[in-house]
């Protein structure tokens, strides 16, 4: 049985510089709530770039919707705006101070793309692999084994193993 196979969060906003930081904090808090802390930096960078593109380029208005969805092992972040023009990846001059947003998203994400919505706009999205929260925990020591933890290798004597009560565990 899969519990909570999909999680979803939506934020509607005007893509103004003051709001971009707020949305970045909302996305970060939501990912912490979902125990996806390792994805916060990549997701925050990606959503910042996408919202900056809406602020700088979208017509006729700056209203947009940010969606994040966790579906099994994949986090998808998308920004929907009302401009039907499809963005392109630019080759920015080495001295340019802008023009690298989509290239950054391509570099930090697993995949990205654009979904046109006819004359109603488009959604620009990217995905990140979402590792299960339990897999980020350190592995449990096995009785009778030698572990390399923060305190170095600690051999366990046969007498200590024999004196320890038998235990079993079910994973999942």
């Amino acid at each position: 049985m899969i519990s909570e196979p999909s999680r979803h969060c939506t934020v509607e906003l005007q893509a103004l510089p003051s709001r971009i930081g707020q949305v970045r904090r909302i996305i970060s808090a939501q990912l912490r709530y979902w125990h996806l802390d390792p994805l916060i930096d990549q997701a925050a960078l990606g959503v910042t770039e996408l919202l900056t593109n809406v602020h700088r380029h979208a017509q006729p208005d700056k209203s947009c919707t940010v969606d994040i969805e966790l579906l099994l092992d994949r986090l998808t972040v998308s920004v929907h705006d009302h401009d039907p023009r499809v963005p392109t990846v630019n080759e920015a001059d080495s001295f340019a101070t802008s023009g690298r947003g989509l290239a950054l998203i391509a570099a930090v994400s697993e995949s990205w793309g654009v979904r046109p919505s006819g004359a109603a706009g488009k959604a620009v999205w990217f995905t990140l692999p979402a590792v299960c929260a339990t897999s980020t925990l350190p592995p449990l020591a096995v009785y009778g084994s030698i572990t390399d933890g923060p305190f170095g290798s600690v051999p366990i004597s046969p007498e200590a193993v024999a004196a320890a009560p038998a235990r079993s565990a079910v994973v999942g």
Side-chain angles (χ1 to χ4, degrees):
M1 180 175 116
I2 300 172
S3 61
E4 294 188 60
S6 175
R7 297 178 188 170
H8 188 256
C9 176
T10 300
V11 180
E12 294 181 17
L13 70 141
Q14 292 288 320
L16 304 173
S18 61
R19 295 300 314 258
I20 293 172
Q22 291 172 343
V23 172
R24 191 172 47 240
R25 287 187 292 279
I26 290 168
I27 299 300
S28 298
Q30 188 66 51
L31 293 179
R32 273 197 267 323
Y33 179 73
W34 289 343
H35 304 288
L36 295 173
D37 298 45
L39 302 181
I40 290 173
D41 290 341
Q42 293 165 293
L45 172 65
V47 80
T48 300
E49 294 300 330
L50 294 180
L51 289 175
T52 299
N53 282 351
V54 172
H55 172 70
R56 294 185 67 167
H57 304 293
Q59 299 294 329
D61 60 36
K62 306 302 179 189
S63 63
C64 62
T65 303
V66 175
D67 286 310
I68 59 171
E69 182 175 30
L70 177 62
L71 185 58
L72 299 177
D73 63 348
R74 185 91 46 251
L75 180 72
T76 302
V77 179
S78 60
V79 175
H80 308 257
D81 65 38
H82 299 119
D83 190 341
R85 295 177 296 160
V86 176
T88 58
V89 178
N90 295 328
E91 286 243 1
D93 181 304
S94 59
F95 295 107
T97 58
S98 64
R100 295 180 181 85
L102 291 176
L104 280 171
I105 289 170
V108 302
S109 68
E110 183 177 64
S111 60
W112 74 277
V114 180
R115 244 184 346 265
S117 299
K122 66 182 169 305
V124 182
W125 57 268
F126 64 92
T127 63
L128 300 170
V131 179
C132 178
T134 57
S135 67
T136 60
L137 298 174
L140 296 174
V142 177
Y143 286 102
S145 70
I146 297 175
T147 61
D148 287 330
F151 306 107
S153 296
V154 180
I156 299 175
S157 68
E159 295 81 25
V161 172
R167 295 183 182 170
S168 63
V170 176
V171 177

